[in-house]
Amino acid sequence: MTAPASGMAVPGAAALSLLLLLLGAAAAAGCGYQSCPPTRPDLLNVHLVPHTHDDVGWLKTVEQYFYGVRNEVQHAGVQYILDSVVAQLAADPSRRFVYAEVAFLARWWRQQDEATRRTVRQLVEQGRLEFVGGGWCMSDEAAAHYGPAIEQLALGRRFLRREFGACGTPRVAWQIDPFGHSRQLAAIFAQMGYDGLFVGRVDHQDKATREQLQEMELLWRASGSLPPPTADLFTGGMGHPPNVYNPPSGFCWDQLCSDPPGDEDSEENNVDSIVSAFLQIAASQAESYRTNHIIMTMGSDFHYENANLWFKNMDKLIAHVNARQANGSHVHVLYSTPSCYLWELHRANLSWSVKTDDFPYADGPHQLTGYFTSRPAFKRYERLSNNFLQICSQLEALAGPVAREGPYGPGNSSVLREAVAVAQHHDAVTGTEKQHVADDYARQLAAGWESCQLLVANALASLSGSKENFIFCNALNISVCPLTEAGRFTVILYNPLGRRVSWPIRLPVNGASYAVTDPQGQPVPSEVVPVSNFTRRLRGGGGSAVWELLFQASIPPLGFSTFTVSRLSRGGPRVHPARTPVLSQPQEIQNEHLRVLFDPLTGHLKEIQNLDKSISLPVFQNFYWYSSVGNNESPQASGAYIFRPNSSEPIPNALVQGHQNFSSWCSQVVRLHAGQPYVELEWTVGPIPVADGWGKEIISRFETTLQTDSRFYTDSNGRQILERRRDYRPTWNLSQTEPVAGNYYPVNSRIFIKDKKFQLTVLTDRSQGGSSIFDGSLELMVHRRLLYDDNRGVGEPLVELGADRQGLVVRGRHLLLLDTVESAADQHRLLAQELFMAPYVVLAPGGGPSYRHGQPSLRQFSALRRELPPNIHLLTLTPWDAGTLLLRLEHQFERGESVNGSQPVTVDLLNLFSAFTITSVQEMSLGADLPLSAISRLVWTPAIGPAQPRPVPKLDPSQVTLQPMEIRTFLATVRYKVPGAGPGGP
C-alpha cells in the first residue's frame, strides 16, 4: 500500500545462465549468514535492501497484479518484476534482492523453464536472492486468527523448502506494511525459527519516543506462558524519517518515481549534491539507532518492473558515497539483506530492551482502528472458510486418496487452502481493498469450497459406507435449504474438535411437527418455531420455509453423527409468510444453567443469572451508531482503515417491543440453548441507511455495574489474552487524540471485563473492533457503511451495496458468558474453539446404496480412541507426503488462568487415533518445514537478564507433554486399517 511500477524487456534464460557462469567465481560463497558482504567496523555501514512490496490484492485483484492488467487503476505487473530482477542480479554479483510474497512467486515459478529455474536456484544458493517472511502472503496482524496465520506461513515455507532447499528457508520475518503488530504473531514467528522481525509501521508517538531513546530495535517477549527465549523475537522498526518501507526522500529510482538519477558526466553533474544529501540522511537516521549499522529499504509497492533503473543508480550511489571515504567520510554503503543487517546487530553483542505487549498503530492524530470491522460479511466468510478447510483436510487425512478420487468426482483441498491463505493478506481480511477485489477474494474462496465439498462427500461416503446424495446447504443462516423444506431427510454432523460437543441445529422446514432420531435410533427432543420476519425479508425469494426445526445434536470427537428427521403431520398448521405471528418478547428465558431477564417496558436485556454459581449481574444491551463524516475539528472521515466518530457519544437505536426489533434495519434474537452455558445474541444489521448523508458505524454495547478501573481484555489473534487500559499504552506516554477510536482494539474471538469477583465475556464469530469506553461497559462494532474515502490509498468509500445494490445486510452471533473470575477461562477457552472449529452440517435424502459391497453403513464414527483432554486442541490434521500426516496439538490455556486448565497435559500419540495406526513420528518446527532439532536461532540478550534456550528433549510419542500455550507439530507415518485407504494407498 504505497506506490506502483513499470516494465522492461528481459534477457532469455540461456543468457541468464551464461551470465551466471561468467560471474560465478566472483559470487559470494554459500547462503545464510556466511554469504553476507563484508562491513567496516570503523565506519557507519548503510545496508541498502532492494525490495518490492507486492500486495496479494488491494487496488487490483491477485491476477490483475500478476499479469499487469488494469494499469489505469495501478501500474503493476509482478511477472515482469521477477523477470527483471533475476536478469539484473545475474548481471552483477555484488547485487542483492529480497522477495516476500510466495503466492506470486509460486505462480511465476510454474511458468519458468528449467534453465531459468537453475539460474534462480543459483542466486538463492549464493545468498543474493533472499526470501523474507516466506508466507503465502504478508498476513494481517489484527483481523487474522492464529490458525490460518500459521497455515499460510507454513504453505509458503513449504514451497520455498521444496524448490530451493535449506537456502530458501527465510531467517527474517518481514511485516513491513500491516497496520499494527500483534504479540501472538510474534510468538508464531519465533516458534517457526525466525531470528528476527522487521516492521514498517510503528505508531507515530511510539516511534518518536523510541527514536529518542534509541529503542527502535528491541527484544519482543511474545508470550507470558512459554519459557524464554522460546517466544522471544528480535524486532526492528524501520524508516527514518517516517517512510515506512520506502526509500529515503530523493532516492527513489523506479520508473514511476520522479527523483533524478546521479549523473557526473552531463551538465547536470548532480553527484555531489546527491551524495551529500544521502550522507546527511544516513547521519540523521544513525542517531536513532545503537550500532554503527543502519538499514535503508530501496523499493516500494510493485517496484523493479524495470530493475535496471534501480540497480544502475544504486551502483553509482554506492561507488560515489564510498569514494568520499578518501576525503574523511565515515559512511560505508553496501548491498545487503535484512538477515545480513540482523547478523551485524547480533555480532554487536548488546543487550536489548524488552517489550511484552503489542503494537497498536496510528500514523497521525487519527486511528487506523476501523479496519478491525470493515467488510464484516467477508470477515465471517473467511472464518467459515478456514473452518471448512480444516474439516476438509481432516476428512482427507482420515479417508485417504479415495477422498480425492471418489464417486462424486475429483476433490482437492489445495484450492481452498490457497484461497484461505490469500485471505489472510493485510488488504484482504482487513477489508481495506477495493470492492471488486473483495468480490474476487470471495470468488476464490467459493471455488475452494466447491472442490472441498466434493472431497468431503467422497470421504463421508467411504467412512460411513453409504453413497448418499449429499447436499450442502450454504444458506442455512438465512433459513434456505430446499431439501429440508421438502420432508424426510438425514443430517450428518461432522465435529472437527478432539472432544465430544453438543451443538444446536436449526433447519428451515415447512411442517409443524417432526420426529428426530439419533444414530442409535433414539428420539431427540425437538421443536418448531416460526421463521422471523427479518429472516424472511433477508432471504427474499430465496426460500419458502416458514418454520425452523430446532434440536440439540451430540457428536463424537473427530467424527460424525447421523440424525434422521421425519415430518409427522403434512396437514399441520401452515402459516403464510405475510401472516407469520410476531413473537412477543418474554420477560425472562431460562435453561439449566442461565436465566435471562428483560425489561418489561422496553424489552431490553436487563439481567443475567448464572444458576450454577448462584450469581447475577445487571446487564443492559442496545445497538448504537457513531456518525463518521468529519467535523469542525478535522475533515478526516471514517473509511476502510480509519475509525473517526464525530462525537464520543453514539446515537441509540430505539427498541420496538417484539423480537428485539431495534429499527427497520437492526434486529436481534436472544436465545438459550438446552444444556448450553451461554446467552446467544443473533443480530441482523443492514442495509444501513445513508440517505441522510451520514455514514454510520454500528455497535452493540453492554452496560453493567462491574467496577473495571478503566481495564478490559481482548485476545491476540484468537489466542493470548492482553489487558487493555483506556487512554494508555504500556511503552509510551499516550497523548490521546481520539477518545473512542484510540481505545479500540482488534477482537478476534473474545473481549471481557471483570472486577474482583465476576467476569462478563463476549465471544465473537468473526474479527471485530471492540472497547470499553466507560467503566463497566463493553462494545463491539458489528457493521459500518461510510460515504467518504479516508485518504489512505484505497480510493473509494466503504459503501458495500450488497447483492441487491441496496446495501449489505450482515448477520452474526455474540455469545455472552457470566462466570466467576476463577472459572471464566474454563468456559471461554472451550467455547471460543467451538465457534472457530464449529461442527459442519451435511444433508441427504437418506437410503443411499452401500459404498463398498458388503460394507456395513455407520451412523456414527470417531477417528479417536479417546477424547482429548479439554485443554488440548487438535489444531491441524492434514495429509502431507505419501504415507504421512501433519499433526499439530496445542495447549489452549495460558499459564495461571485456570486451576485445572493451565496444568501440563500428556498425550499418547501412538494410541490416540482409531482411523489409522501411527508407525513413526518426527517432531517438526511450527512451520513443519524443518525438524525441531534443526532449529538453531540467534540468541539475544535481554536488558532484564539472559535466557538460554533449552535443548530439545528426545521424543517419546507415547508421552507427549504440552505446557500452557505450547504448540507441538509432528509428521506421522501412518498405516490404515481399511484396504486402499490412507495417503499413498491404491
Side-chain angles (χ1 to χ4, degrees):
M1 167 193 153
T2 309
S6 231
M8 68 167 282
V10 179
L16 292 180
S17 297
L18 177 61
L19 278 167
L20 273 181
L21 287 171
L22 293 173
L23 297 168
C31 62
Y33 297 121
Q34 65 179 353
S35 72
C36 290
T39 57
R40 296 283 302 273
D42 55 328
L43 302 178
L44 173 64
N45 294 274
V46 181
H47 295 248
L48 301 185
V49 177
H51 81 106
T52 179
H53 175 62
D54 296 345
D55 287 306
V56 187
W58 179 39
L59 308 183
K60 303 200 294 189
T61 69
V62 179
E63 285 207 347
Q64 289 168 351
Y65 271 138
F66 181 78
Y67 289 107
V69 299
R70 296 289 304 275
N71 280 343
E72 74 278 6
V73 175
Q74 182 182 10
H75 193 112
V78 175
Q79 61 174 336
Y80 307 121
I81 292 171
L82 291 167
D83 289 342
S84 184
V85 164
V86 169
Q88 291 302 314
L89 289 178
D92 186 336
S94 69
R95 294 171 174 174
R96 292 172 182 258
F97 193 82
V98 297
Y99 196 75
E101 293 84 8
V102 178
F104 285 133
L105 178 69
R107 184 181 290 235
W108 178 82
W109 188 254
R110 289 192 293 267
Q111 298 178 358
Q112 304 311 303
D113 59 26
E114 192 51 43
T116 303
R117 291 185 176 191
R118 280 196 304 271
T119 297
V120 175
R121 287 192 179 106
Q122 285 179 289
L123 292 170
V124 173
E125 289 164 4
Q126 294 165 358
R128 299 200 296 115
L129 175 58
E130 180 178 307
F131 301 118
V132 290
W136 204 245
C137 67
M138 187 180 295
S139 73
D140 179 55
E141 300 197 35
H145 191 278
Y146 75 94
I150 289 172
E151 294 255 347
Q152 77 87 18
L153 277 167
L155 182 64
R157 289 175 64 96
R158 189 182 187 194
F159 171 85
L160 295 176
R161 185 76 178 185
R162 183 176 68 243
E163 300 298 337
F164 304 103
C167 289
T169 301
R171 294 177 298 280
V172 166
W174 188 247
Q175 293 289 105
I176 58 173
D177 198 22
F179 328 113
H181 304 281
S182 77
R183 191 187 198 200
Q184 180 56 44
L185 204 62
I188 288 169
F189 286 133
Q191 292 170 82
M192 284 195 177
Y194 291 89
D195 285 327
L197 162 69
F198 287 95
V199 300
R201 297 186 184 275
V202 178
D203 184 283
H204 70 114
Q205 293 184 41
D206 189 12
K207 186 174 184 180
T209 302
R210 292 187 177 280
E211 286 180 333
Q212 187 176 7
L213 299 175
Q214 290 191 329
E215 291 185 354
M216 286 295 290
E217 294 160 337
L218 60 132
L219 198 62
W220 200 346
R221 181 145 290 169
S223 174
S225 296
L226 300 174
T230 305
D232 288 358
L233 187 67
F234 184 90
T235 303
M238 298 184 302
H240 180 89
N243 56 347
V244 190
Y245 53 84
N246 298 312
S249 178
F251 294 85
C252 183
W253 291 307
D254 197 72
Q255 278 192 156
L256 298 183
C257 297
S258 57
D259 294 340
D263 192 350
E264 70 276 23
D265 297 326
S266 74
E267 60 185 29
E268 293 287 334
N269 196 7
N270 59 356
V271 168
D272 283 347
S273 62
I274 286 179
V275 170
S276 296
F278 184 86
L279 291 174
Q280 186 175 357
I281 290 171
S284 175
Q285 181 172 336
E287 292 177 358
S288 301
Y289 293 82
R290 297 177 61 197
T291 74
N292 64 323
H293 294 268
I294 60 173
I295 187 171
M296 290 186 183
T297 48
M298 304 301 283
S300 189
D301 289 11
F302 300 98
H303 278 199
Y304 287 81
E305 202 171 308
N306 183 346
N308 179 54
L309 286 175
W310 262 114
F311 281 114
K312 189 169 186 176
N313 282 284
M314 284 189 291
D315 289 345
K316 291 181 180 180
L317 178 71
I318 291 170
H320 288 298
V321 171
N322 290 345
R324 287 277 188 101
Q325 294 167 19
N327 298 324
S329 170
H330 289 83
V331 175
H332 177 68
V333 189
L334 64 152
Y335 282 119
S336 188
T337 66
S339 65
C340 290
Y341 174 70
L342 187 74
W343 176 244
E344 295 294 342
L345 299 184
H346 185 261
R347 290 178 62 200
N349 199 27
L350 301 173
S351 60
W352 303 90
S353 63
V354 175
K355 180 182 177 68
T356 58
D357 61 321
D358 57 9
F359 285 90
Y361 177 66
D363 58 4
H366 309 302
Q367 302 288 324
L368 276 77
T369 54
Y371 78 93
F372 301 161
T373 298
S374 294
R375 302 196 188 279
F378 182 75
K379 281 179 165 64
R380 177 60 178 157
Y381 192 29
E382 177 273 330
R383 187 67 56 89
L384 284 171
S385 297
N386 178 74
N387 190 170
F388 190 51
L389 173 62
Q390 301 313 310
I391 289 168
C392 182
S393 298
Q394 288 181 4
L395 286 169
E396 185 178 7
L398 299 178
V402 295
R404 296 185 288 275
E405 299 294 339
Y408 300 94
N412 186 355
S413 61
S414 67
V415 181
L416 185 55
R417 182 168 291 106
E418 292 183 9
V420 171
V422 165
Q424 306 315 305
H425 169 57
H426 60 271
D427 281 309
V429 69
T430 53
T432 54
E433 65 276 28
K434 282 186 177 290
Q435 184 63 55
H436 81 278
V437 180
D439 295 342
D440 186 67
Y441 287 138
R443 180 196 59 78
Q444 292 181 54
L445 290 173
W449 277 73
E450 288 184 9
S451 291
C452 259
Q453 285 176 345
L454 287 171
L455 193 152
V456 167
N458 289 333
L460 286 177
S462 172
L463 295 171
S464 69
S466 180
K467 287 194 287 188
E468 297 286 350
N469 178 22
F470 295 114
I471 304 294
F472 299 87
C473 284
N474 297 325
L476 287 175
N477 66 325
I478 53 171
S479 294
V480 175
C481 182
L483 176 64
T484 62
E485 294 171 28
R488 179 185 172 93
F489 54 92
T490 61
V491 180
I492 304 101
L493 196 60
Y494 180 82
N495 173 23
L497 293 173
R499 53 187 167 82
R500 178 175 289 272
V501 298
S502 178
W503 192 254
I505 300 299
R506 195 175 194 90
L507 299 169
V509 294
N510 277 316
S513 181
Y514 287 81
V516 181
T517 56
D518 67 13
Q520 292 75 38
Q522 298 301 307
V524 176
S526 64
E527 62 176 320
V528 173
V529 299
V531 174
S532 71
N533 290 333
F534 259 87
T535 296
R536 291 203 324 277
R537 197 171 74 195
L538 186 57
R539 73 188 179 196
S544 61
V546 293
W547 303 96
E548 290 178 324
L549 172 67
L550 282 62
F551 65 94
Q552 203 75 16
S554 178
I555 325 123
L558 202 65
F560 62 80
S561 291
T562 303
F563 298 82
T564 301
V565 179
S566 303
R567 182 170 170 175
L568 294 180
S569 54
R570 285 188 174 275
R574 297 290 299 277
V575 181
H576 190 275
R579 297 196 303 271
T580 299
V582 176
L583 298 181
S584 61
Q585 180 71 35
Q587 291 189 24
E588 70 174 60
I589 54 177
Q590 180 176 333
N591 68 2
E592 305 94 309
H593 304 289
L594 297 170
R595 180 183 294 121
V596 179
L597 306 181
F598 300 90
D599 187 297
L601 296 178
T602 67
H604 285 106
L605 181 65
K606 176 183 176 183
E607 183 178 333
I608 300 174
Q609 300 174 1
N610 183 324
L611 303 178
D612 298 327
K613 304 289 177 65
S614 298
I615 60 176
S616 65
L617 181 70
V619 180
F620 171 83
Q621 184 263 342
N622 197 9
F623 287 90
Y624 300 79
W625 56 274
Y626 292 106
S627 58
S628 310
V629 294
N631 56 19
N632 293 334
E633 295 176 12
S634 170
Q636 177 67 62
S638 285
Y641 299 93
I642 284 184
F643 170 35
R644 185 177 181 269
N646 284 31
S647 166
S648 298
E649 295 297 324
I651 300 167
N653 267 313
L655 176 63
V656 180
Q657 185 74 359
H659 226 86
Q660 284 209 321
N661 295 326
F662 293 86
S663 68
S664 61
W665 49 270
C666 179
S667 73
Q668 181 171 263
V669 179
V670 183
R671 301 187 182 104
L672 293 178
H673 295 285
Q676 300 292 349
Y678 57 80
V679 184
E680 179 186 279
L681 307 179
E682 184 185 70
W683 44 267
T684 305
V685 176
I688 299 173
V690 291
D692 55 7
W694 292 87
K696 298 177 179 65
E697 299 170 278
I698 316 304
I699 64 166
S700 173
R701 176 180 283 177
F702 303 85
E703 301 176 26
T704 75
T705 55
L706 293 175
Q707 301 299 307
T708 53
D709 192 27
S710 299
R711 288 166 168 81
F712 59 105
Y713 302 80
T714 67
D715 64 276
S716 177
N717 303 108
R719 201 153 192 263
Q720 298 183 61
I721 303 297
L722 296 179
E723 180 186 275
R724 312 298 192 181
R725 288 171 58 185
R726 230 173 14 258
D727 300 330
Y728 174 80
R729 300 291 187 268
T731 50
W732 80 89
N733 293 324
L734 175 67
S735 173
Q736 183 63 274
T737 55
E738 292 286 354
V740 176
N743 287 303
Y744 257 63
Y745 288 88
V747 178
N748 261 264
S749 62
R750 77 211 80 180
I751 181 172
F752 61 80
I753 51 175
K754 63 181 181 179
D755 59 14
K756 294 181 179 179
K757 293 182 179 180
F758 304 144
Q759 178 171 316
L760 183 73
T761 306
V762 183
L763 303 180
T764 66
D765 65 354
R766 73 202 72 194
S767 292
Q768 297 175 327
S771 187
S772 174
I773 299 301
F774 55 89
D775 278 5
S777 74
L778 281 180
E779 63 183 62
L780 286 157
M781 188 179 292
V782 298
H783 199 358
R784 55 204 311 254
R785 189 180 184 189
L786 306 166
L787 302 179
Y788 301 97
D789 176 49
D790 56 10
N791 296 310
R792 289 306 183 277
V794 76
E796 65 183 33
L798 188 70
V799 176
E800 291 209 280
L801 295 176
D804 63 0
R805 314 300 293 170
Q806 300 302 306
L808 187 68
V809 181
V810 179
R811 170 167 286 178
R813 293 192 302 156
H814 289 149
L815 303 187
L816 199 56
L817 297 167
L818 173 64
D819 209 334
T820 61
V821 170
E822 296 78 13
S823 302
D826 293 327
Q827 286 200 359
H828 73 68
R829 283 288 178 189
L830 303 190
L831 280 171
Q833 285 294 6
E834 283 187 27
L835 267 179
F836 177 66
M837 294 275 275
Y840 187 72
V841 173
V842 181
L843 299 152
S850 293
Y851 179 80
R852 206 178 276 113
H853 181 70
Q855 179 184 3
S857 62
L858 286 176
R859 294 182 61 79
Q860 188 160 281
F861 165 83
S862 175
L864 299 183
R865 295 183 187 277
R866 61 187 62 85
E867 287 191 49
L868 285 170
N871 46 5
I872 300 300
H873 173 54
L874 179 62
L875 181 60
T876 307
L877 173 62
T878 189
W880 204 244
D881 297 318
T884 60
L885 302 176
L886 177 66
L887 295 166
R888 287 192 186 94
L889 291 174
E890 67 163 320
H891 196 304
Q892 58 182 349
F893 280 73
E894 292 191 69
R895 191 177 301 278
E897 72 177 352
S898 166
V899 173
N900 296 317
S902 296
Q903 297 302 313
V905 181
T906 299
V907 176
D908 181 358
L909 266 187
L910 298 180
N911 292 300
L912 179 60
F913 295 94
S914 61
F916 47 76
T917 300
I918 294 178
T919 58
S920 66
V921 180
Q922 182 181 24
E923 186 158 11
M924 307 295 288
S925 68
L926 182 58
D929 56 331
L930 290 169
L932 186 61
S933 58
I935 297 292
S936 178
R937 300 173 63 217
L938 298 180
V939 178
W940 303 85
T941 303
I944 58 177
Q948 291 301 317
R950 302 183 180 187
V952 177
K954 184 178 179 181
L955 174 65
D956 178 357
S958 67
Q959 297 187 64
V960 174
T961 300
L962 291 106
Q963 302 289 338
M965 284 284 107
E966 186 175 19
I967 304 174
R968 297 186 67 175
T969 305
F970 307 95
L971 282 182
T973 304
V974 299
R975 183 177 65 248
Y976 283 76
K977 297 179 180 179
V978 178

